[in-house]
Amino acid sequence: MLLAIDCGNTNTVFAVYDGDDKRCEWRAASKSGRTADEMGVWLNQLMAMKHLEPEAITEAIIASVVPAAVYDLRLLCHQYFGAPPLVVGEPDVDLGLQVLIDRPEEVGADRLVNAVAAHRTYRGPLIVLDFGTATTFDVVDADGNYRGGVIAPGVNLSLEALHMAAAQLPRVAIGRPKTVIGKATVPAMRSGIYLGYVSMIEGLTRRIQDEFGAPMTVVATGGLASLFTEATDVIHHLDNDLTLRGLLEIHRRNAAHRMHP
């Protein structure tokens, strides 16, 4: 079985795949300083609850946007599962796409993994909209190559910044407002954040397509994707498993290369 690890700035997702079948998935906060032993004990307990033995894990793959976490994640795979992992972004890992931007080394691993999965599933050209710590718009051409994108502050990050910078504005939960015009502070904040983001999504997807010069399929993923997909018709597909499927595809591609060099 394959252990796929997607380490983001806010959360780390661990998933176990048996072929194409996702057997289990768990999510943990991406706390700095968490050791391989801490993660190993936690993960083994969760696997035991699903009647999975550590020996069942024979392969692993990691995508991380937190460089400091890679060492312990790699150690976790080695020590607790005996599975030396592929690490997305390392030179020997073939993604099956070209990164056609000025500084390819700066692209987050998660964005490239999403591009791989989106191209395989939906073809292209594509805009992959990921609601994470940052909200990213990634452009994938019809050949599956990564063409760049847009990075905006994430929804929760914007809410926190608004609360921290303005003494009289409280923390609020993100949610779809009943009206555009708020009759009190909290409804006004919810309207500004939620409908402001909807307007940003609609405006940026239109501008990206105008600049790209062709209609594009828009795929949304990430924790808050479903909340915004229901509010606009510019998003064509909601795909919460996109990153994990990309890891599965990259692992499959590289495993095939090892078998048939």
Side-chain angles (χ1 to χ4, degrees):
M1 294 186 187
L2 172 69
L3 175 63
I5 304 173
D6 170 28
C7 178
N9 287 298
T10 303
N11 293 311
T12 300
V13 179
F14 299 83
V16 175
Y17 278 90
D18 185 359
D20 290 335
D21 179 33
K22 184 171 67 174
R23 291 282 302 274
C24 306
E25 178 182 335
W26 304 282
R27 187 176 300 265
S30 299
K31 295 179 180 177
S32 61
R34 180 173 285 168
T35 68
D37 291 330
E38 289 173 311
M39 290 185 287
V41 170
W42 173 80
L43 192 54
N44 271 284
Q45 288 177 333
L46 291 172
M47 289 177 62
M49 293 171 64
K50 296 293 185 179
H51 308 291
L52 284 174
E53 297 293 333
E55 295 77 14
I57 303 299
T58 57
E59 298 174 285
I61 185 168
I62 298 167
S64 176
V65 299
V66 185
V70 174
Y71 174 82
D72 281 297
L73 289 171
R74 190 194 296 272
L75 200 60
L76 166 73
C77 297
H78 274 282
Q79 290 190 343
Y80 283 84
F81 304 104
L86 292 173
V87 179
V88 175
E90 293 191 342
D92 60 337
V93 177
D94 179 16
L95 302 181
L97 55 74
Q98 296 183 67
V99 184
L100 302 176
I101 65 171
D102 294 340
R103 295 182 180 273
E105 69 279 4
E106 293 181 355
V107 184
D110 55 340
R111 301 173 76 184
L112 297 178
V113 172
N114 285 346
V116 169
H119 176 67
R120 179 174 176 81
T121 305
Y122 305 104
R123 297 303 166 180
L126 301 161
I127 298 171
V128 180
L129 176 53
D130 190 350
F131 293 89
T133 305
T135 299
T136 56
F137 299 72
D138 291 308
V139 175
V140 184
D141 66 22
D143 296 322
N145 298 317
Y146 182 85
R147 291 281 184 171
V150 175
I151 302 174
V155 181
N156 288 321
L157 191 62
S158 296
L159 279 169
E160 187 64 18
L162 195 60
H163 166 70
M164 293 295 292
Q168 290 187 303
L169 297 183
R171 284 189 175 91
V172 298
I174 185 68
R176 189 171 185 174
K178 296 179 180 178
T179 61
V180 177
I181 302 171
K183 301 295 187 180
T185 298
V186 169
M189 291 176 66
R190 283 182 175 154
S191 179
I193 290 291
Y194 185 88
L195 296 177
Y197 263 80
V198 171
S199 297
M200 180 185 73
I201 292 163
E202 293 172 342
L204 281 174
T205 54
R206 184 187 72 250
R207 287 174 180 270
I208 289 170
Q209 292 180 77
D210 288 346
E211 187 171 294
F212 190 80
M216 306 173 79
T217 300
V218 181
V219 182
T221 191
L224 293 174
S226 60
L227 185 62
F228 288 95
T229 299
E230 67 183 25
T232 178
D233 58 6
V234 303
I235 297 174
H236 303 113
H237 302 283
L238 172 63
D239 193 335
N240 287 321
D241 279 340
L242 192 69
T243 308
L244 291 175
R245 288 209 321 281
L247 287 172
L248 183 63
E249 174 62 24
I250 292 167
H251 177 268
R252 183 182 290 119
R253 180 182 186 87
N254 285 267
H257 286 179
R258 290 198 301 269
M259 292 176 61
H260 306 287

